[in-house]
Structures are given as structure tokens and as C-alpha cells.
Amino acid sequence: SYELTQPPSVSVSPGQTATITCSGDKLGDKYSCWYQQKPGQSPVPVIYRDSRRPSGIPERFSGSNSGNTATLTISETQAVDEADYYCQVWDNSAVIFGGGTKLTVL
Amino acid sequence: QVQLVQSGAEVKKPGTSIKVSCTTSGYSFSSSDINWVRQAPGQGLEWVGWMKPSGITGYAQSLQDRVTMTRDASSGTAYLELRSLKSEDTAIYYCAKGSDRGPHFDYWGQGTLVIVSS
């Protein structure tokens, strides 16, 4: 079955750029999306169709997807961005989530 | 505005069944898929399955023998039934609306905590 691999954790200083990767076989051939989940809350989409931002999501969130890697980039990271981030794709009519990455802003 | 409101938390004994509801509003229920996703305590997201407006369903392989998804278009409510509950089914269960802009979930319910314990 298809698998997506994310780093368990990423740390970034406030104001710096955070990069979270998601790896899978020929991932660039699929549409990827990213969800942000804060403690005790439901996930919220921050990127869909590889690089599109839903309304209300700050411009500092961006995404790309090529080859075997999708990337979520958060520019000028703020303390409010500290959360778990999950990548997601569809494969053979099934939804696949990455294992999640805990972003720490310190 | 779009809302998905789920039923309340439940505690169940192993071997029993549970049915979680997801009542929608603010959009055309008959035009969007409903997906279910679960999250065990301290763990990541796990997809459970989807249901199209037509009623066609698709389930995660690991759960397909124990899960059934249904919907009541008249009330805009989707249901998830899970049978033969095991302790490892303890999780928060989320319903999520499929987006018409891309293969992602644009709105999520608040989650329903299901605890399976003897």
C-alpha cells in the first residue's frame, strides 16, 4: 500500500522559514494537500492541490510537489504556527495521510 | 456558513457497536462527499472511509469488515457505524466534507471521542 513519510519534528526560530517535507513514490504525480492541527482542535487545510491556499490562510504558507517530495513552506514563521502538520494524497480511491510533523517555534 | 456537528462522546465495551452522526448545514449535502477520519490518542490521522452523494462507499482495508457508512439526505446527516469494537478503536472520529476545488477535505466536524474499554 502507498505510504507517505514525514519527519516527526521540525524546529524553527520565530521569523525564520520552516520547511516540512512529505515523501512518497512518484508523489509528484498526485495532488497533495496539507493540514494544520493544533492541540484539541480539528485539522484545518492550509494547502491543497499542491500549492493552493484556502481562503483565510496567510500568504506565508506555500506548497510545492515534484518528483517524490511534497513540501510545505512557512515563511516568517510565527508562534501561532506551532502545530502538527499532515500531508495527504489519494491513491487508488483511498486516502493516505503522512505520519505528521510537529512544528516547534522556539 | 458550512458546519459539521457530530454526536457526543461515548464509552463502549469491547465487542459492541457504535454509530456516530455528523449533521451538516450551510451547503448542499447532496453535492459533496463525506469522509471519516480517526485519530487515536497521541497519534496521527487515519482515514476510515468515504461516502459519495450517490451512496457509494469506500472503506480503509483494515476496517472494511467492520464499518458501514450511511447518510440521510433529508436531514443532511451522515453516519459511521463500527462493529465488534476493540480497544484499539479508541480514538477521536472526525467527519470531513470533500471539497469541490480539489481532492482534499475543506471542512471538518469537531470530532467524537469513542472510548472502548471493559
Side-chain angles (χ1 to χ4, degrees), chain B:
Chain B
Q1 72 280 24
V2 175
Q3 286 190 310
L4 288 76
V5 179
Q6 299 183 224
S7 48
E10 301 211 43
V11 180
K12 292 289 189 177
K13 293 193 180 302
T16 62
S17 299
I18 189 166
K19 194 168 187 177
V20 179
S21 67
C22 171
T23 301
T24 70
S25 61
Y27 75 100
S28 173
F29 182 72
S30 299
S31 64
S32 297
D33 299 352
I34 289 288
N35 282 258
W36 291 88
V37 176
R38 71 180 184 177
Q39 186 170 36
Q43 302 301 307
L45 302 175
E46 178 187 14
W47 177 70
V48 176
W50 51 255
M51 174 171 254
K52 293 193 173 295
S54 62
I56 294 175
T57 55
Y59 302 135
Q61 266 194 319
S62 61
L63 296 170
Q64 62 183 6
D65 293 338
R66 300 192 293 127
V67 66
T68 301
M69 294 176 188
T70 56
R71 55 197 284 156
D72 177 358
S74 65
S75 63
T77 301
Y79 299 93
L80 169 70
E81 180 182 24
L82 189 59
R83 301 176 293 278
S84 303
L85 289 168
K86 311 172 186 181
S87 59
E88 51 263 44
D89 293 320
T90 293
I92 297 174
Y93 288 75
Y94 296 99
C95 60
K97 171 186 168 294
S99 172
D100 57 2
R101 295 188 176 188
H104 68 290
F105 309 144
D106 52 4
Y107 293 92
W108 294 61
Q110 84 277 18
T112 296
L113 175 61
V114 174
I115 297 173
V116 183
S117 173
S118 55

Side-chain angles (χ1 to χ4, degrees), chain A residues 25-67:
Chain A
D25 185 48
K26 298 180 181 179
L27 180 53
D29 293 344
K30 308 177 188 297
Y31 274 133
S32 64
C33 62
W34 292 88
Y35 299 94
Q36 176 193 71
Q37 186 181 34
K38 297 182 179 180
Q41 297 184 19
S42 302
V44 173
V46 293
I47 293 290
Y48 69 99
R49 283 200 172 189
D50 296 336
S51 60
R52 300 187 184 187
R53 275 181 294 105
S55 60
I57 299 302
E59 290 184 9
R60 62 179 183 273
F61 287 85
S62 63
S64 63
N65 185 13
S66 179

